[in-house]
Short mmCIF file of all heavy atoms in Angstrom, two decimals:
data_model
loop_
_atom_site.label_atom_id
_atom_site.label_comp_id
_atom_site.label_asym_id
_atom_site.label_seq_id
_atom_site.Cartn_x
_atom_site.Cartn_y
_atom_site.Cartn_z
N GLU A 15 0.81 -1.22 0.00
CA GLU A 15 0.00 0.00 0.00
C GLU A 15 0.85 1.27 0.00
O GLU A 15 0.58 2.21 -0.75
CB GLU A 15 -0.92 -0.02 1.22
CG GLU A 15 -2.09 0.94 1.14
CD GLU A 15 -3.26 0.37 0.36
OE1 GLU A 15 -3.13 -0.73 -0.21
OE2 GLU A 15 -4.30 1.04 0.32
N GLU A 16 1.86 1.30 0.85
CA GLU A 16 2.67 2.51 0.95
C GLU A 16 3.41 2.80 -0.35
O GLU A 16 3.47 3.95 -0.82
CB GLU A 16 3.64 2.38 2.13
CG GLU A 16 2.91 2.33 3.46
CD GLU A 16 3.72 1.73 4.59
OE1 GLU A 16 4.89 1.36 4.36
OE2 GLU A 16 3.18 1.65 5.71
N GLU A 17 3.95 1.74 -0.95
CA GLU A 17 4.66 1.91 -2.21
C GLU A 17 3.73 2.40 -3.32
O GLU A 17 4.09 3.27 -4.12
CB GLU A 17 5.31 0.58 -2.62
CG GLU A 17 6.42 0.10 -1.70
CD GLU A 17 5.89 -0.66 -0.47
OE1 GLU A 17 4.65 -0.79 -0.32
OE2 GLU A 17 6.72 -1.10 0.34
N LYS A 18 2.50 1.86 -3.36
CA LYS A 18 1.53 2.30 -4.37
C LYS A 18 1.22 3.79 -4.21
O LYS A 18 1.20 4.54 -5.19
CB LYS A 18 0.23 1.50 -4.24
CG LYS A 18 0.33 0.05 -4.67
CD LYS A 18 -1.00 -0.65 -4.39
CE LYS A 18 -0.91 -2.14 -4.60
NZ LYS A 18 -2.16 -2.83 -4.20
N MET A 19 0.96 4.21 -2.97
CA MET A 19 0.61 5.60 -2.75
C MET A 19 1.74 6.54 -3.19
O MET A 19 1.50 7.56 -3.85
CB MET A 19 0.30 5.84 -1.27
CG MET A 19 -0.96 5.17 -0.78
SD MET A 19 -1.39 5.71 0.87
CE MET A 19 -2.06 7.34 0.52
N GLU A 20 2.95 6.20 -2.85
CA GLU A 20 4.08 7.07 -3.16
C GLU A 20 4.31 7.18 -4.66
O GLU A 20 4.66 8.25 -5.18
CB GLU A 20 5.32 6.57 -2.44
CG GLU A 20 5.21 6.74 -0.92
CD GLU A 20 6.30 6.04 -0.12
OE1 GLU A 20 7.17 5.38 -0.75
OE2 GLU A 20 6.30 6.16 1.10
N MET A 21 4.09 6.08 -5.40
CA MET A 21 4.25 6.11 -6.86
C MET A 21 3.06 6.78 -7.54
O MET A 21 3.22 7.59 -8.45
CB MET A 21 4.42 4.69 -7.40
CG MET A 21 5.74 4.04 -7.10
SD MET A 21 5.95 2.50 -8.04
CE MET A 21 4.56 1.52 -7.45
N GLU A 22 1.86 6.42 -7.11
CA GLU A 22 0.67 6.84 -7.83
C GLU A 22 0.42 8.35 -7.74
O GLU A 22 0.02 8.98 -8.73
CB GLU A 22 -0.55 6.07 -7.31
CG GLU A 22 -0.53 4.60 -7.68
CD GLU A 22 -1.68 3.81 -7.09
OE1 GLU A 22 -2.60 4.42 -6.50
OE2 GLU A 22 -1.65 2.57 -7.23
N LEU A 23 0.64 8.93 -6.57
CA LEU A 23 0.41 10.36 -6.45
C LEU A 23 1.30 11.16 -7.40
O LEU A 23 0.86 12.17 -7.98
CB LEU A 23 0.65 10.81 -5.01
CG LEU A 23 -0.50 10.58 -4.04
CD1 LEU A 23 -0.06 10.83 -2.60
CD2 LEU A 23 -1.71 11.47 -4.39
N SER A 24 2.52 10.72 -7.59
CA SER A 24 3.43 11.43 -8.50
C SER A 24 2.92 11.38 -9.94
O SER A 24 3.03 12.37 -10.67
CB SER A 24 4.84 10.84 -8.41
OG SER A 24 5.39 11.06 -7.13
N LYS A 25 2.36 10.25 -10.34
CA LYS A 25 1.82 10.13 -11.70
C LYS A 25 0.55 10.95 -11.85
O LYS A 25 0.36 11.68 -12.83
CB LYS A 25 1.56 8.67 -12.05
CG LYS A 25 1.06 8.47 -13.49
CD LYS A 25 0.94 7.00 -13.86
CE LYS A 25 0.47 6.84 -15.30
NZ LYS A 25 0.36 5.41 -15.71
N ILE A 26 -0.35 10.86 -10.88
CA ILE A 26 -1.64 11.56 -10.96
C ILE A 26 -1.44 13.07 -11.00
O ILE A 26 -2.10 13.78 -11.78
CB ILE A 26 -2.53 11.17 -9.76
CG1 ILE A 26 -2.96 9.70 -9.89
CG2 ILE A 26 -3.76 12.07 -9.66
CD1 ILE A 26 -3.48 9.12 -8.60
N LEU A 27 -0.57 13.59 -10.15
CA LEU A 27 -0.37 15.03 -10.06
C LEU A 27 0.62 15.56 -11.09
O LEU A 27 0.88 16.76 -11.16
CB LEU A 27 0.09 15.41 -8.65
CG LEU A 27 -0.92 15.10 -7.53
CD1 LEU A 27 -0.33 15.44 -6.17
CD2 LEU A 27 -2.24 15.83 -7.75
N GLY A 28 1.18 14.66 -11.90
CA GLY A 28 2.10 15.06 -12.95
C GLY A 28 1.37 15.48 -14.22
O GLY A 28 0.15 15.67 -14.23
N LYS A 29 2.10 15.60 -15.31
CA LYS A 29 1.54 16.09 -16.57
C LYS A 29 1.55 14.99 -17.63
O LYS A 29 2.33 14.04 -17.56
CB LYS A 29 2.35 17.29 -17.06
CG LYS A 29 2.28 18.50 -16.15
CD LYS A 29 3.12 19.65 -16.70
CE LYS A 29 3.04 20.87 -15.78
NZ LYS A 29 3.87 21.99 -16.29
N TYR A 30 0.67 15.16 -18.62
CA TYR A 30 0.70 14.33 -19.82
C TYR A 30 0.84 15.25 -21.02
O TYR A 30 -0.09 15.98 -21.37
CB TYR A 30 -0.57 13.48 -19.94
CG TYR A 30 -0.54 12.57 -21.15
CD1 TYR A 30 0.27 11.44 -21.16
CD2 TYR A 30 -1.30 12.86 -22.28
CE1 TYR A 30 0.32 10.61 -22.27
CE2 TYR A 30 -1.26 12.03 -23.40
CZ TYR A 30 -0.45 10.91 -23.38
OH TYR A 30 -0.40 10.09 -24.49
N GLU A 31 2.03 15.26 -21.59
CA GLU A 31 2.34 16.14 -22.71
C GLU A 31 3.19 15.39 -23.72
O GLU A 31 4.03 14.56 -23.35
CB GLU A 31 3.11 17.39 -22.24
CG GLU A 31 2.32 18.29 -21.31
CD GLU A 31 3.15 19.44 -20.77
OE1 GLU A 31 4.37 19.27 -20.61
OE2 GLU A 31 2.57 20.51 -20.51
N ASN A 32 2.98 15.68 -25.01
CA ASN A 32 3.76 15.05 -26.08
C ASN A 32 3.74 13.53 -25.96
O ASN A 32 4.76 12.85 -26.10
CB ASN A 32 5.20 15.57 -26.07
CG ASN A 32 5.26 17.08 -26.25
OD1 ASN A 32 4.54 17.64 -27.06
ND2 ASN A 32 6.13 17.73 -25.47
N SER A 33 2.55 13.02 -25.64
CA SER A 33 2.31 11.57 -25.58
C SER A 33 3.13 10.86 -24.51
O SER A 33 3.44 9.67 -24.64
CB SER A 33 2.56 10.91 -26.95
OG SER A 33 1.68 11.42 -27.91
N GLN A 34 3.48 11.57 -23.44
CA GLN A 34 4.17 10.89 -22.35
C GLN A 34 3.85 11.55 -21.01
O GLN A 34 3.52 12.73 -20.93
CB GLN A 34 5.67 10.86 -22.57
CG GLN A 34 6.36 12.21 -22.59
CD GLN A 34 7.85 12.10 -22.83
OE1 GLN A 34 8.34 11.05 -23.24
NE2 GLN A 34 8.58 13.16 -22.58
N PHE A 35 3.92 10.73 -19.96
CA PHE A 35 3.68 11.19 -18.60
C PHE A 35 4.98 11.73 -18.01
O PHE A 35 6.05 11.15 -18.19
CB PHE A 35 3.18 10.05 -17.71
CG PHE A 35 1.81 9.55 -18.07
CD1 PHE A 35 1.65 8.34 -18.72
CD2 PHE A 35 0.69 10.29 -17.76
CE1 PHE A 35 0.39 7.86 -19.05
CE2 PHE A 35 -0.59 9.83 -18.09
CZ PHE A 35 -0.73 8.61 -18.74
N THR A 36 4.86 12.84 -17.28
CA THR A 36 5.96 13.37 -16.50
C THR A 36 5.49 13.45 -15.05
O THR A 36 4.53 14.17 -14.76
CB THR A 36 6.38 14.77 -16.98
OG1 THR A 36 6.74 14.70 -18.37
CG2 THR A 36 7.55 15.30 -16.17
N ASN A 37 6.15 12.73 -14.17
CA ASN A 37 5.73 12.70 -12.77
C ASN A 37 5.96 14.04 -12.08
O ASN A 37 6.90 14.77 -12.40
CB ASN A 37 6.48 11.62 -12.01
CG ASN A 37 6.00 10.22 -12.35
OD1 ASN A 37 4.99 10.05 -13.03
ND2 ASN A 37 6.72 9.22 -11.91
N ALA A 38 5.09 14.35 -11.14
CA ALA A 38 5.24 15.56 -10.34
C ALA A 38 6.45 15.41 -9.42
O ALA A 38 6.72 14.33 -8.90
CB ALA A 38 3.99 15.80 -9.51
N GLU A 39 7.16 16.50 -9.22
CA GLU A 39 8.34 16.48 -8.33
C GLU A 39 7.89 16.81 -6.92
O GLU A 39 8.12 17.90 -6.39
CB GLU A 39 9.39 17.45 -8.84
CG GLU A 39 9.98 17.05 -10.18
CD GLU A 39 11.09 17.98 -10.63
OE1 GLU A 39 11.39 18.94 -9.90
OE2 GLU A 39 11.64 17.74 -11.73
N ILE A 40 7.21 15.85 -6.30
CA ILE A 40 6.69 16.00 -4.94
C ILE A 40 7.22 14.85 -4.11
O ILE A 40 7.11 13.68 -4.49
CB ILE A 40 5.14 15.99 -4.93
CG1 ILE A 40 4.59 17.15 -5.77
CG2 ILE A 40 4.61 16.05 -3.51
CD1 ILE A 40 3.10 17.08 -6.02
N ASN A 41 7.81 15.18 -2.98
CA ASN A 41 8.31 14.14 -2.08
C ASN A 41 7.15 13.59 -1.27
O ASN A 41 6.50 14.33 -0.52
CB ASN A 41 9.38 14.74 -1.15
CG ASN A 41 10.12 13.68 -0.37
OD1 ASN A 41 10.01 12.50 -0.65
ND2 ASN A 41 10.86 14.11 0.63
N VAL A 42 6.85 12.30 -1.43
CA VAL A 42 5.70 11.67 -0.78
C VAL A 42 6.18 10.56 0.15
O VAL A 42 6.94 9.68 -0.25
CB VAL A 42 4.73 11.06 -1.83
CG1 VAL A 42 3.54 10.41 -1.13
CG2 VAL A 42 4.26 12.13 -2.81
N LEU A 43 5.76 10.61 1.41
CA LEU A 43 6.05 9.57 2.40
C LEU A 43 4.74 9.05 2.95
O LEU A 43 3.84 9.84 3.28
CB LEU A 43 6.90 10.13 3.54
CG LEU A 43 8.24 10.76 3.18
CD1 LEU A 43 8.89 11.37 4.41
CD2 LEU A 43 9.17 9.73 2.55
N ALA A 44 4.59 7.72 3.05
CA ALA A 44 3.31 7.14 3.48
C ALA A 44 3.51 6.06 4.52
O ALA A 44 4.43 5.24 4.44
CB ALA A 44 2.57 6.57 2.28
N ASN A 45 2.63 6.05 5.52
CA ASN A 45 2.48 4.96 6.48
C ASN A 45 1.02 4.52 6.43
O ASN A 45 0.12 5.37 6.51
CB ASN A 45 2.81 5.41 7.90
CG ASN A 45 4.30 5.44 8.16
OD1 ASN A 45 5.00 4.47 7.88
ND2 ASN A 45 4.80 6.54 8.68
N CYS A 46 0.76 3.22 6.31
CA CYS A 46 -0.60 2.73 6.11
C CYS A 46 -0.99 1.72 7.19
O CYS A 46 -0.22 0.80 7.50
CB CYS A 46 -0.74 2.09 4.74
SG CYS A 46 -0.49 3.26 3.38
#
């Protein structure tokens, strides 16, 4: 769960431009 949250938030809050995803540069730490 913790690994999913840390990866997924970066993809969701990132951008989709020129047919590719760019992850957001946000440091995410999770305890579940």
Side-chain angles (χ1 to χ4, degrees):
E15 197 84 354
E16 294 160 2
E17 294 83 359
K18 289 176 189 174
M19 292 189 75
E20 292 170 358
M21 288 190 300
E22 291 176 8
L23 279 169
S24 294
K25 183 175 181 179
I26 292 163
L27 298 177
K29 296 180 179 179
Y30 182 73
E31 296 175 329
N32 301 318
S33 298
Q34 64 181 14
F35 293 106
T36 302
N37 286 350
E39 294 184 0
I40 299 170
N41 190 12
V42 180
L43 302 175
N45 280 310
C46 296

